[in-house]
Amino acid sequence: MSDISRKVYLSMISKAEIKDYLEEGKGFREWGSGDLVSVRKEIRDHYRKEQKGRCVYCRLPVSLASSGNCHIEHIVPKSHYLDFMFEPLNLCVVCADCNFLKGNKSPLVKDKIVRYPRSSGAFKMFHPHFDRYGEHLKVTSNGFYRGL
């Protein structure tokens, strides 16, 4: 069983806000705009709970109240695939350090895809919706994590 067993199911209000956002021609650069505050809160609250307040990569706590150390992670970067920006299987929460370290590197095995993958075989790295942490990553005694 994967680390995240329940993906986020957005409310009708959030879906309407996303529809308006996209119809206005907004893209990944406007992700942090005020237009999506409630959508981001809904996503962040769901994954905070689902991940038990831990970053999916390093397992350190994420902020439970502030968004400052609880970033919404787009596993496949929204700058590479705008169509996956709101895909529930592409979302989780991470700490600020892990979000910075991963940056906009693509984890995909193939560069050009049309549909979001439905299994871990399409990824070069741990995917929290498909994989078990201990089978792919190990936290070392000095607090760093490494791939297995």
Side-chain angles (χ1 to χ4, degrees):
M1 182 174 204
S2 63
D3 279 11
I4 296 176
S5 57
R6 290 180 343 152
K7 64 185 179 181
V8 66
Y9 289 96
L10 295 171
S11 66
M12 294 305 288
I13 293 169
S14 286
K15 288 179 181 179
E17 289 177 12
I18 291 168
K19 183 176 183 261
D20 292 345
Y21 176 87
L22 295 173
E23 284 177 354
E24 291 172 13
K26 294 183 179 173
F28 73 93
R29 294 189 200 293
E30 293 85 17
W31 168 256
S33 72
D35 298 335
L36 296 174
V37 170
S38 62
V39 175
R40 291 192 310 270
K41 180 178 179 354
E42 188 173 343
I43 292 167
R44 192 175 285 113
D45 289 350
H46 171 81
Y47 287 114
R48 275 180 176 136
K49 183 177 179 183
E50 184 68 17
Q51 296 170 212
K52 299 174 180 54
R54 302 271 173 195
C55 171
V56 294
Y57 298 133
C58 70
R59 295 296 206 230
L60 292 174
V62 294
S63 173
L64 297 179
S66 165
S67 61
N69 192 40
C70 186
H71 294 207
I72 295 173
E73 163 72 349
H74 293 84
I75 299 162
V76 174
K78 60 189 179 294
S79 61
H80 292 219
Y81 288 91
L82 186 61
D83 290 346
F84 303 153
M85 191 159 86
F86 301 103
E87 166 58 53
L89 292 174
N90 195 40
L91 303 170
C92 60
V93 292
V94 297
C95 69
D97 288 342
C98 286
N99 193 37
F100 174 78
L101 290 169
K102 179 179 169 277
N104 71 345
K105 297 176 198 86
S106 178
L108 294 169
V109 172
K110 293 181 182 177
D111 287 334
K112 306 262 187 217
I113 61 171
V114 177
R115 296 180 59 202
Y116 196 83
R118 296 294 188 230
S119 68
S120 66
F123 297 88
K124 298 183 269 189
M125 60 178 259
F126 164 75
H127 193 295
H129 287 274
F130 304 134
D131 300 320
R132 295 185 74 178
Y133 190 88
E135 294 173 2
H136 295 269
L137 295 166
K138 179 180 180 179
V139 178
T140 63
S141 59
N142 57 1
F144 294 100
Y145 59 95
R146 65 178 176 82
L148 296 176

